[in-house]
Amino acid sequence: MPRLFPDQDPLDVRNRYKPDVIKGDMDSIRDDVKEFYSNLEVKIVDEADDQDTTDLHKCVAFICDNRPTLDKSNQLCILVAGALGGRFDHEVGNINVLYRFSNTRIVLLSDDCLIYLLPRTHSHEIFVLKSVEGPHCGLIPAGAPSASTTTTGLKWNLDDTAMSFGGLISTSNIALEEKITVLSDSDLLWTISIRHPNKKI
């Protein structure tokens, strides 16, 4: 969290933005960090006995299980910072969580891009905020091949196009319009670059 406020005292930032819960198998948290938040009376849930799910899976499950009843009629969106850009197996594990919780909007964020799942159950309208997103984007059939995908709003649109690993996939595409539409017979990953001030595209 202090990295988001580089001009402020890190201790003040940590005290101001403390988490409600720290949950996982606790194999990567430093002892001093665990003690710091424990002293702030943050709830710490150690699930080291569960090695079949990732820490992200555990946290998403906790969020879904503990949503206030009144909010369940609204669309839940979970933003996951730092989900990309590290070890590849961790990244794949995080992407797998998108498929495990396909009924929940989960957005994986890195410094350079975001990723979320477009379930095949319905067509999608993606509204691009051009001040902070794009133009580079992609549609990736990570779970299974797509026999038919159709898009609008891209520089290289797909028209009833088949996609699969080992064949065509839509990477390094360009979002031209503020509204992108996607219709596919397969779950797809949507990814789009994040703009940085004063950085050449």
Side-chain angles (χ1 to χ4, degrees):
M1 185 60 74
R3 292 182 181 178
L4 299 177
F5 304 93
D7 298 329
Q8 300 182 30
D9 181 76
L11 184 58
D12 289 341
V13 173
R14 289 190 179 97
N15 279 295
R16 190 164 68 245
Y17 297 101
K18 67 177 184 177
D20 296 311
V21 179
I22 296 175
K23 185 180 177 73
D25 58 19
M26 303 299 155
D27 64 342
S28 57
I29 188 171
R30 298 198 317 267
D31 290 338
D32 61 311
V33 173
K34 186 176 180 180
E35 181 181 5
F36 175 85
Y37 286 111
S38 180
N39 290 336
L40 292 178
E41 299 183 346
V42 172
K43 182 178 181 181
I44 298 177
V45 182
D46 187 336
E47 292 197 347
D49 58 325
D50 177 9
Q51 292 298 309
D52 292 331
T53 60
T54 64
D55 286 348
L56 178 58
H57 183 117
K58 294 176 175 70
C59 290
V60 170
F62 181 88
I63 292 170
C64 293
D65 291 343
N66 289 275
R67 290 179 65 192
T69 304
L70 294 177
D71 289 344
K72 290 189 176 179
S73 61
N74 297 325
Q75 176 68 40
L76 174 66
C77 182
I78 300 173
L79 303 180
V80 185
L84 307 166
R87 275 174 40 191
F88 181 65
D89 60 328
H90 282 172
E91 292 182 321
V92 172
N94 290 339
I95 290 170
N96 187 52
V97 170
L98 303 182
Y99 287 83
R100 296 288 295 270
F101 295 89
S102 59
N103 292 328
T104 301
R105 171 65 66 87
I106 303 170
V107 181
L108 306 182
L109 295 167
S110 74
D111 290 339
D112 299 308
C113 71
L114 61 82
I115 297 175
Y116 57 84
L117 185 69
L118 302 179
R120 65 183 181 276
T121 52
H122 56 282
S123 60
H124 299 271
E125 292 185 345
I126 301 167
F127 294 93
V128 177
L129 187 60
K130 290 193 172 184
S131 61
V132 295
E133 293 179 287
H136 300 100
C137 62
L139 288 163
I140 304 167
S146 168
S148 174
T149 297
T150 299
T151 66
T152 65
L154 303 177
K155 183 173 183 179
W156 295 284
N157 278 310
L158 304 172
D159 183 11
D160 195 25
T161 304
M163 293 194 297
S164 66
F165 279 93
L168 172 72
I169 57 175
S170 179
T171 60
S172 300
N173 212 323
I174 301 291
L176 291 182
E177 307 295 335
E178 293 185 351
K179 184 174 81 170
I180 311 297
T181 66
V182 181
L183 178 64
S184 181
D185 65 343
S186 178
D187 297 337
L188 299 176
L189 294 173
W190 165 256
T191 182
I192 190 166
S193 56
I194 295 175
R195 294 178 182 267
H196 295 275
N198 303 321
K199 183 178 180 180
K200 292 183 178 179
I201 297 173

